[in-house]
Amino acid sequence: MGRKDEDVEVVDRKKNLPAEGSPPVIAGLHALSGRDLLNGLLDRESPGEIVRGLSCEDFYWALKRIGEDDCLPLLALASEEQWQFMLDLELWKEDRLDNLKSFQWISRLRQADILRLARWLLSEGQALGYIYLFRNLQVEVNTDEEPLLDLQDGFMTLDGVYYFRPLDRKQSPEFESLLRGMAAEDLLRFQGVLSGLAGLIPAEAEEEMYRIRNVRLAEHGFLPREEALSVYTPLPPSAAVRGADKSHRTAEPDPEFVREAAVAPLMMAPAAGLFSEVAFSIDDPVLLDRMRLEFSGLCNLIMSADGVIPEDVKDLEKVCRRAAGYLNVALEYLCGESIPLAKMQVRDTALLTLFRIGFGLTVELGRRARGWIKDSWYSACGLSHRFWGDQWGENLRGILQSRGHYPSGAGDEGDFRGFRNIRELNESESILKRIIALDCLLGELFPVVDFKSSIIPGCEITVQAVLITSWARKCLGGEFAFSPVSPEEAGRFLAMLKGVVSGKGTMGTARRNQFISFFLERSSGVLKSCEGLEEALADVWTDFYDEYRDVRVEDPDPRFSRLLVIES
């Protein structure tokens, strides 16, 4: 959308619009540092009630914002249900329990509240306790019939019957503390756990734990990955409800689901964008609750589909940006910049449907690109995406990915990210049209066999270099072909363009028009009407002009001449 004054207004709304019943400190999660968030919670009159009143997702997001090294006070205030949700997300690597993370998180819980952890591991968390101890302890039993006479060093006992030793001796203090806590809580159940380790079948126990874990997470929208991938099933724009189906609009969400829905995801959606503008201008509490519930579920579904295991809150913010981005694409495609129309669309259509529509628009662009590449001149020549230059090449590489991506800016991590608005999608579509038009032009001008033989081994060329260098040879009175010019020819060519014999000069509009007309005249009638050809040629000239307008005609150096190929 790009309206700075409206972006500021959206941010202000986000600061002043916490969900009903949620602590303002959580509603402002997107703007707080970890220390400020922790202090904001601990400074409340009843911090325990506030923390335990958070949804499991909000608790988890707050935990990630505060950081694993500083989260002990938050863990101490949390409920066992919040613990379980956190462990369900943190301890698993695909369908396997991560032993290192299990040790790290149980150690943090032990430091936060050893007695409550011991009680939990002997009751609701018993399955985790069994497999955790089985993987990390060596246990020996001392009986009257078979007394232990020659125990190795490192074994400890709390009752004179069961002796245990951690497989990793460095972890002895942690395990001794944990087992003492369990024994103090209930000695008989503690002994039952140790005696049961001998009969445990770890593969079966882990499989059952994974099944139950998936059932628990499915209640929060975290489906198994193979099911969650349906979020990336494209839908056509016609799938959007146009007011005919009122069920989505009138059905009020279950109050219990609303209470348990996360506040943080909607608050952390980027302020810029039609979706955020709609979300934070809604004055209908029922509709706002539904949006909060649906957006939280959508983010959870994306995390499951992408296999995201958050290391910190930045990973969670990326999920929010991805969800909001494709919602922006869909709403802007369907409603333009009209907030009233977008409100109606959100009211009538599920956010999951809108996300799949926005994603489908990007997939369609990638499908067109792959369809063109199969019979393209550039592919027949065996060229890489770098042939189209930095910007065009990266855009092409992004939309060719299975899920279609946009090149990241300097502030983003990684090479690509999801589309965030219709402007980015239109930009990539425009670049694709230009690339296809130039590919058709090159196919008419340069037979594949001849062009491949003209490529200098080890020399990386671009479409701009091919067109500019070939045109330069023709302007100098030679044959139209792609091959390097000599340094003297390069100097004469630049002097001719600048209208000077030597020194600096300007390459005026007349030269630009001459360049474009030259290639349009050499094109077939069909190609002349090809969408984007003239704009593509203008872009090539602009790149050339920006790079060579201040180059002195005596100075063309083959080492630094990128768009005019000069003999070494």
Side-chain angles (χ1 to χ4, degrees):
M1 303 292 288
R3 299 190 290 271
K4 293 183 180 179
D5 53 341
E6 294 188 8
D7 290 350
V8 173
E9 183 182 359
V10 170
V11 174
D12 289 340
R13 287 178 188 145
K14 292 174 79 167
K15 288 180 179 178
N16 297 314
L17 191 62
E20 184 176 355
S22 65
V25 69
I26 291 298
L29 175 64
H30 66 287
L32 295 173
S33 68
R35 182 180 296 275
D36 290 340
L37 176 60
L38 182 59
N39 291 337
L41 288 168
L42 297 179
D43 290 344
R44 302 271 166 180
E45 185 174 343
S46 302
E49 292 181 13
I50 290 176
V51 171
R52 288 189 291 273
L54 298 175
S55 69
C56 290
E57 288 95 329
D58 281 332
F59 167 77
Y60 183 68
W61 287 55
L63 188 74
K64 286 300 181 180
R65 174 66 83 186
I66 292 169
E68 297 170 355
D69 295 332
D70 302 315
C71 69
L72 297 186
L74 192 66
L75 292 175
L77 297 172
S79 67
E80 287 83 354
E81 182 184 4
Q82 291 168 329
W83 284 3
Q84 183 69 76
F85 179 81
M86 177 268 296
L87 294 174
D88 283 341
L89 291 179
E90 287 290 317
L91 301 192
W92 294 85
K93 187 174 183 180
E94 296 182 351
D95 60 347
R96 291 287 179 267
L97 201 61
D98 189 311
N99 202 45
L100 175 60
K101 284 197 170 185
S102 297
F103 175 79
Q104 292 171 340
W105 279 108
I106 289 180
S107 178
R108 293 184 185 110
L109 292 173
R110 179 186 59 79
Q111 296 174 66
D113 194 331
I114 176 65
L115 294 180
R116 195 147 59 99
L117 174 63
R119 189 181 312 124
W120 184 73
L121 289 175
L122 291 170
S123 54
E124 293 94 339
Q126 190 176 65
L128 175 61
Y130 265 113
I131 197 166
Y132 177 67
L133 296 178
F134 178 86
R135 287 182 171 179
N136 291 280
L137 287 186
Q138 181 181 352
V139 178
E140 299 289 349
V141 183
N142 185 29
T143 64
D144 293 337
E145 294 79 7
E146 298 182 20
L148 297 173
L149 302 176
D150 54 350
L151 275 178
Q152 298 175 349
D153 292 339
F155 275 92
M156 297 170 281
T157 183
L158 302 178
D159 55 7
V161 178
Y162 293 96
Y163 289 77
F164 57 87
R165 179 178 68 175
L167 299 181
D168 185 344
R169 303 290 181 85
K170 297 177 183 178
Q171 298 173 352
S172 293
E174 285 82 357
F175 278 97
E176 181 179 5
S177 174
L178 176 63
L179 294 174
R180 284 187 182 279
M182 295 173 69
E185 176 63 29
D186 192 324
L187 181 59
L188 291 179
R189 293 170 73 180
F190 163 72
Q191 291 175 329
V193 169
L194 291 187
S195 65
L197 296 181
L200 184 71
I201 303 176
E204 291 183 4
E206 187 176 45
E207 183 179 350
E208 179 63 11
M209 281 183 64
Y210 182 66
R211 185 189 66 80
I212 297 175
R213 174 250 192 190
N214 286 344
V215 171
R216 285 193 299 261
L217 288 182
E219 296 176 357
H220 297 271
F222 290 91
L223 298 180
R225 190 162 188 261
E226 57 274 12
E227 297 179 34
L229 286 171
S230 63
V231 73
Y232 290 117
T233 303
L235 285 177
S238 59
V241 177
R242 302 288 183 172
D245 180 5
K246 310 297 184 185
S247 59
H248 185 72
R249 176 193 312 179
T250 57
E252 293 191 15
D254 188 323
E256 184 66 19
F257 285 136
V258 171
R259 186 188 68 80
E260 295 179 355
V263 176
L266 192 56
M267 295 297 168
M268 295 178 71
L274 186 56
F275 171 70
S276 288
E277 293 189 40
V278 168
F280 296 99
S281 62
I282 289 176
D283 52 11
D284 179 357
V286 174
L287 179 56
L288 186 59
D289 281 341
R290 180 184 293 119
M291 286 191 66
R292 181 163 63 89
L293 185 64
E294 290 186 8
F295 190 74
S296 173
L298 176 60
C299 290
N300 293 348
L301 203 58
I302 292 171
M303 285 179 60
S304 297
D306 291 349
V308 173
I309 302 176
E311 294 297 330
D312 54 39
V313 78
K314 290 182 180 179
D315 295 327
L316 300 169
E317 289 172 343
K318 287 180 184 178
V319 173
C320 286
R321 286 197 297 267
R322 173 178 286 270
Y326 287 110
L327 291 172
N328 284 335
V329 171
L331 288 174
E332 291 171 14
Y333 179 87
L334 295 168
C335 309
E337 295 188 0
S338 172
I339 293 180
L341 285 178
K343 280 185 182 180
M344 294 175 61
Q345 192 67 72
V346 167
R347 180 191 64 190
D348 295 340
T349 309
L351 294 188
L352 175 58
T353 299
L354 290 173
F355 177 89
R356 291 171 62 186
I357 289 172
F359 178 72
L361 292 171
T362 68
V363 169
E364 173 61 21
L365 183 62
R367 185 192 64 78
R368 286 164 48 194
R370 284 187 288 273
W372 154 70
I373 278 184
K374 287 192 299 183
D375 302 315
S376 66
W377 173 90
Y378 128 89
S379 179
C381 291
L383 301 168
S384 75
H385 68 276
R386 289 186 291 271
F387 175 73
W388 301 107
D390 293 338
Q391 182 189 5
W392 289 2
E394 287 302 289
N395 266 273
L396 179 62
R397 190 158 72 99
I399 62 179
L400 286 174
Q401 294 185 13
S402 60
R403 293 182 184 170
H405 286 81
Y406 186 79
S408 296
D412 290 287
E413 297 182 12
D415 295 333
F416 297 96
R417 58 169 173 77
F419 288 89
R420 292 180 181 169
N421 49 58
I422 200 69
R423 177 190 59 78
E424 293 179 349
L425 184 62
N426 290 339
E427 177 188 330
S428 291
E429 183 178 21
S430 178
I431 287 174
L432 179 61
K433 289 178 180 177
R434 285 164 163 76
I435 288 175
I436 292 175
L438 288 180
D439 185 82
C440 294
L441 174 65
L442 293 169
E444 288 195 359
L445 299 179
F446 303 101
V448 171
V449 175
D450 295 344
F451 184 81
K452 291 175 73 172
S453 64
S454 68
I455 298 176
I456 302 172
C459 178
E460 187 173 299
I461 59 169
T462 63
V463 61
Q464 295 90 339
V466 171
L467 294 177
I468 293 294
T469 306
S470 302
W471 183 57
R473 297 192 67 82
K474 188 65 177 178
C475 291
L476 293 170
E479 180 184 359
F480 177 80
F482 173 65
S483 61
V485 296
S486 67
E488 294 77 16
E489 289 174 324
R492 284 196 293 119
F493 174 64
L494 293 177
M496 179 182 66
L497 291 184
K498 295 171 181 288
V500 295
V501 175
S502 64
K504 290 186 178 181
T506 58
M507 300 184 291
T509 303
R511 294 297 187 186
R512 170 187 178 278
N513 294 338
Q514 181 183 354
F515 171 78
I516 294 174
S517 298
F518 173 81
F519 286 102
L520 290 179
E521 290 168 2
R522 296 180 72 89
S523 306
S524 67
V526 175
L527 184 56
K528 285 180 183 178
S529 61
C530 184
E531 188 177 4
L533 178 58
E534 188 168 346
E535 292 84 356
L537 291 169
D539 287 345
V540 171
W541 175 265
T542 299
D543 288 347
F544 176 65
Y545 175 81
D546 290 343
E547 188 156 333
Y548 287 82
R549 62 183 172 183
D550 294 329
V551 175
R552 297 181 63 86
V553 298
E554 302 94 340
D555 297 339
D557 190 325
R559 294 172 300 171
F560 308 114
S561 184
R562 187 173 62 89
L563 304 183
L564 180 62
V565 183
I566 305 173
E567 294 175 352
S568 300

